[in-house]
Amino acid sequence: MHADVPQFIDVEDKIAGPLTWKQLLWMIGLLVLLIILYNIFTAGAFIMIAIPVSLIFVAFAFIKPYGQPMTTFVYYGVMHLFGPKIYVWKREVRTIAKPVQKPTNTTKKGNAVSALTLEDIESLAQRLDRK
C-alpha cells in the first residue's frame, strides 16, 4: 500500500493572493495606522512619519532573517540587549552529613545480630576491591 507524504509542510497557506494570514494582518494594521496618522498630521509630517512606519510594517510582514519571523528575531535581539552579558557557573556546595549510627544488638530467633556501621561497610568494600 502506497501513502502520499506531504512535501512542503512548513509553507503557510495563502489567504489573500500571495499573502499569508500573518502578512495580511500586518498590512491591515499598517493601513489602519496610516489612516490614523493621516487624520492627525499635515501632509508633509504625514509623509515623514509614514515612510519609516511603512518600512517597519513591511519588514515585519515579509522579511525572515535566518528563516525565522521578524517578530522572533527582534524579540531575541531585545532580550540580548537588555539581558545579562556575563554567564558565570556557580557550583552549588552540598554537604552531606554522615548519619551517626550506634551499633545495636538485635535478636532474631534468639541469635544476637549486630548492626553494620558505615565503617564496617567501607572496610568490606575495600577488601572486596583488593581481591
Side-chain angles (χ1 to χ4, degrees):
M1 186 159 120
H2 180 68
D4 292 331
V5 178
Q7 294 296 317
F8 302 104
I9 59 173
D10 60 342
V11 177
E12 295 182 27
D13 294 331
K14 307 295 184 196
I15 301 297
L19 300 177
T20 64
W21 68 273
K22 290 179 185 177
Q23 293 170 339
L24 184 65
L25 288 177
W26 278 109
M27 292 297 105
I28 291 172
L30 173 63
L31 181 67
V32 169
L33 186 62
L34 287 178
I35 290 171
I36 292 171
L37 291 175
Y38 181 76
N39 289 326
I40 294 174
F41 296 107
T42 61
F46 169 72
I47 292 174
M48 296 294 288
I49 294 172
I51 291 174
V53 168
S54 298
L55 290 176
I56 291 170
F57 272 78
V58 168
F60 274 105
F62 295 108
I63 296 177
K64 287 189 168 187
Y66 302 109
Q68 60 184 343
M70 183 64 93
T71 53
T72 306
F73 190 75
V74 170
Y75 170 75
Y76 288 141
V78 169
M79 294 307 292
H80 176 73
L81 286 175
F82 295 113
K85 301 295 186 279
I86 298 174
Y87 297 98
V88 178
W89 178 64
K90 294 182 182 177
R91 181 179 179 190
E92 294 180 15
V93 179
R94 296 182 184 176
T95 57
I96 300 173
K98 293 183 179 180
V100 178
Q101 296 179 352
K102 295 181 181 178
T104 58
N105 291 333
T106 59
T107 59
K108 186 174 185 180
K109 295 183 182 177
N111 295 335
V113 178
S114 64
L116 292 175
T117 62
L118 187 59
E119 291 82 16
D120 294 336
I121 295 173
E122 287 176 354
S123 67
L124 179 62
Q126 287 175 358
R127 277 189 263 153
L128 290 173
D129 287 340
R130 284 187 215 141
K131 292 184 180 182

